[in-house]
Amino acid sequence: MKSYGGILERATTQAALSESVDYVLRGTERKRRASGRWILEHRDEFIKTLQQQLTSGTWRIGRYTEHKVVERGKERRIQCISLRDRVAVNAVMKEVQRKMLPGLITDTASSIEGRGALWLHKRIRNTLADNGRLTWFYKCDIRKFYESIPQEKMLAVIDRRFRERSVRQFLAECVTVTGRGISIGLRSSQELGNLYMSEYFDHRLKDRMGCKWYWRYCDDIVIGAESAAELTPYINAVHDCAEAAGLEIKGTEQVFCITHRPLDFLGYVLTADGNIRIRKRTKQRFARCWRRVRSWRRKKELAGSFYGIAKHGDCRNLFKTITGWNMKDFAELGIKYVSQDGKKRFDVPTVRLDSIQNTRIVVKDFETNIKTREGDGRYVVLIEDEESRERKFFTNSEEMKQILDKVRAAGEMPFRTVIRSQPFGDGKKKYCFT
């Protein structure tokens, strides 16, 4: 069984915590809160304190609020923690997810970067298209998944899988913040839920039993087979896994043949002949909302939202029937965005220079004389970090701008470098290429 280490070493760096601050405080509303303003005004002090608490194991979740949310007849209690605690949880869980990802099976999604509902839907759709003998399915989900996970079993999984004592203490704090189960509102619960299902369900069915067609989205499970008899041992195994995990399978579990009944999963209905429809409930909800709305602006927003769902199915006629508009694939329109000034903006996340200092990067491209809220004449620089992720940063440093111009004139783009900070003047610092 693989265990994970070296998490806090990366999660508590200045760059990681600074990036977490930017992520948690994205959006105007959070920046305007008193706690958000304080974090931004005392950024360096806040990060230093958080580093000390996390590395020493003294970090604890402070007060939290609980809200009752009713969605489609389901009542859930959501726990909301402070912005300070969110920064810590986000930084650590980002590293936890990075460590966990290689140990998760391929056919699982939800709360995994690059693996959403649409990604898993496409995998199932492609599997059905490539395997004509795949006709029988078992579908189930778990009753009140997060709230039902026994805390003592979750803590035992954490103890087995994480080597660092401080990380185990951190995750235990996240698990025991509520009196029962694990919190729905914390980001940590998403990764821990995946870890729990991976431990008790995924690897037993895929590795030990050799289940070829097994897909999981959070606590929703679909298993495919060529016959009903082939499904039986897998169904029994799912119930055994649930009993061992202290969970309960809902009474709505289903066994069916796709030639007689379509597979309704992840918002789409897949038929045996390869047709892809939108779930009836989704169509009805959009149609009722569409009839109720009178504002043209709001109608365009609704149509765009529904188009994002409909374009992944055989739904052109449905879209036209409800909205009265013809639906085309965006690629068919041949339209590309061009900024008014003709300059490149690089459609990638923006990072602060202090979050990438002292790390090796590749400068791939840049654009000059960009106007931002801070003023005119900025350069936007496209980079690639150590993990091959593209990012960009803005700079008004005359030194950096002059060097970029000279490198381009010499035909040496792209180039590798390390950005370092240097003190100058009265307690100020500047960033430069080295």
Side-chain angles (χ1 to χ4, degrees):
M1 181 185 297
K2 184 176 178 60
S3 60
Y4 312 117
I7 292 172
L8 279 188
E9 182 181 352
R10 291 175 61 102
T12 56
T13 62
Q14 176 82 14
L17 290 173
S18 182
E19 186 177 343
S20 185
V21 169
D22 291 334
Y23 179 82
V24 171
L25 294 182
R26 66 195 187 281
T28 305
E29 190 271 333
R30 291 182 180 180
K31 290 184 176 69
R32 288 177 176 172
R33 290 187 201 175
S35 56
R37 292 199 306 270
W38 187 91
I39 290 173
L40 292 174
E41 290 170 2
H42 304 83
R43 188 187 188 101
D44 293 339
E45 176 190 344
F46 169 74
I47 290 175
K48 185 177 179 180
T49 302
L50 206 54
Q51 282 176 320
Q52 293 172 345
Q53 292 177 345
L54 289 172
T55 52
S56 64
T58 58
W59 178 86
R60 297 291 183 271
I61 292 178
R63 296 179 61 185
Y64 67 89
T65 57
E66 189 171 84
H67 306 279
K68 184 174 73 172
V69 177
V70 179
E71 183 181 7
R72 301 172 198 165
K74 296 181 180 179
E75 181 181 307
R76 295 185 176 91
R77 294 189 176 276
I78 311 296
Q79 293 77 33
C80 297
I81 58 177
S82 67
L83 293 179
R84 162 214 172 246
D85 292 335
R86 290 189 199 184
V87 172
V89 171
N90 180 75
V92 175
M93 295 315 297
K94 185 176 180 180
E95 278 305 308
V96 168
Q97 185 187 79
R98 190 180 68 84
K99 290 284 188 178
M100 279 175 44
L101 187 58
L104 298 177
I105 64 170
T106 304
D107 290 315
T108 183
S110 176
S111 308
I112 303 173
E113 187 174 357
R115 295 197 205 173
L118 181 59
W119 176 87
L120 189 58
H121 160 74
K122 288 181 177 179
R123 287 188 66 86
I124 298 174
R125 184 180 68 191
N126 294 337
T127 301
L128 283 171
D130 296 339
N131 298 273
R133 295 177 300 173
L134 176 58
T135 53
W136 282 87
F137 289 89
Y138 169 67
K139 182 171 174 276
C140 71
D141 64 335
I142 294 168
R143 186 183 304 279
K144 294 189 177 294
F145 173 56
Y146 288 113
E147 298 171 0
S148 300
I149 295 177
Q151 290 187 353
E152 65 278 4
K153 289 182 179 289
M154 185 75 257
L155 293 174
V157 172
I158 290 171
D159 287 341
R160 288 196 298 269
R161 301 302 289 269
F162 295 94
R163 295 196 293 268
E164 295 170 275
R165 184 168 177 268
S166 52
V167 173
R168 294 199 298 268
Q169 289 178 336
F170 178 92
L171 296 176
E173 176 71 13
C174 295
V175 169
T176 57
V177 68
T178 58
R180 179 174 176 269
I182 59 177
S183 168
I184 296 178
L186 271 67
R187 176 185 169 173
S188 58
S189 301
Q190 300 168 358
E191 276 78 20
L192 292 177
N194 270 329
L195 181 63
Y196 198 73
M197 292 295 287
S198 177
E199 181 98 356
Y200 280 99
F201 287 81
D202 299 351
H203 288 291
R204 175 175 176 181
L205 286 151
K206 290 289 287 184
D207 300 341
R208 299 181 197 171
M209 298 190 66
C211 183
K212 186 176 180 181
W213 294 303
Y214 170 92
W215 301 277
R216 180 177 65 80
Y217 186 82
C218 191
D219 63 317
D220 293 335
I221 295 172
V222 169
I223 299 175
E226 296 179 4
S227 66
E230 191 180 329
L231 275 178
T232 303
Y234 300 138
I235 296 172
N236 294 334
V238 167
H239 282 269
D240 291 343
C241 291
E243 184 178 353
L247 302 173
E248 180 186 354
I249 302 294
K250 281 186 182 178
T252 54
E253 58 185 330
Q254 306 161 13
V255 178
F256 57 92
C257 179
I258 198 172
T259 56
H260 300 125
R261 176 182 169 185
L263 172 62
D264 185 349
F265 191 52
L266 301 176
Y268 293 92
V269 179
L270 287 74
T271 61
D273 59 2
N275 187 264
I276 304 168
R277 304 195 301 267
I278 296 175
R279 182 177 287 168
K280 182 179 179 180
R281 185 169 63 244
T282 305
K283 293 185 288 188
Q284 290 177 335
R285 194 163 60 245
F286 172 72
R288 288 166 185 161
C289 191
W290 182 264
R291 287 195 299 268
R292 189 168 60 248
V293 169
R294 292 290 177 265
S295 165
W296 177 249
R297 179 179 178 181
R298 179 59 181 151
K299 275 188 177 291
K300 286 196 293 183
E301 293 174 351
L302 284 172
S305 175
F306 190 62
Y307 174 80
I309 301 172
K311 68 180 181 180
H312 298 291
D314 303 311
C315 306
R316 291 174 183 250
N317 188 56
L318 170 69
F319 186 83
K320 184 177 179 181
T321 300
I322 298 177
T323 66
W325 301 353
N326 283 317
M327 172 176 151
K328 293 184 178 180
D329 288 335
F330 180 74
E332 296 175 4
L333 302 177
I335 298 174
K336 293 184 178 180
Y337 170 74
V338 178
S339 59
Q340 292 182 348
D341 56 12
K343 293 184 178 295
K344 294 175 282 189
R345 292 301 193 274
F346 307 124
D347 188 18
V348 296
T350 303
V351 295
R352 293 166 53 96
L353 280 169
D354 62 356
S355 71
I356 57 173
Q357 65 175 331
N358 302 324
T359 60
R360 183 166 291 279
I361 61 172
V362 176
V363 176
K364 302 179 70 174
D365 197 1
F366 67 93
E367 186 61 87
T368 63
N369 297 322
I370 300 295
K371 183 178 180 180
T372 68
R373 286 180 297 180
E374 286 73 27
D376 300 340
R378 265 65 177 174
Y379 279 25
V380 58
V381 185
L382 176 67
I383 65 168
E384 185 178 278
D385 63 17
E386 292 177 312
E387 298 179 2
S388 300
R389 298 176 301 182
E390 286 192 337
R391 298 288 189 265
K392 67 181 178 184
F393 67 84
F394 292 87
T395 180
N396 196 36
S397 163
E398 290 299 329
E399 179 180 333
M400 276 191 163
K401 292 195 291 187
Q402 185 182 113
I403 290 174
L404 288 168
D405 289 336
K406 288 182 177 180
V407 170
R408 174 176 284 175
E412 298 296 335
M413 295 289 294
F415 65 94
R416 284 188 295 271
T417 184
V418 175
I419 294 178
R420 302 196 188 279
S421 62
Q422 295 181 354
F424 77 99
D426 185 15
K428 297 180 181 179
K429 65 178 179 180
K430 65 176 181 178
Y431 294 98
C432 57
F433 299 119
T434 58

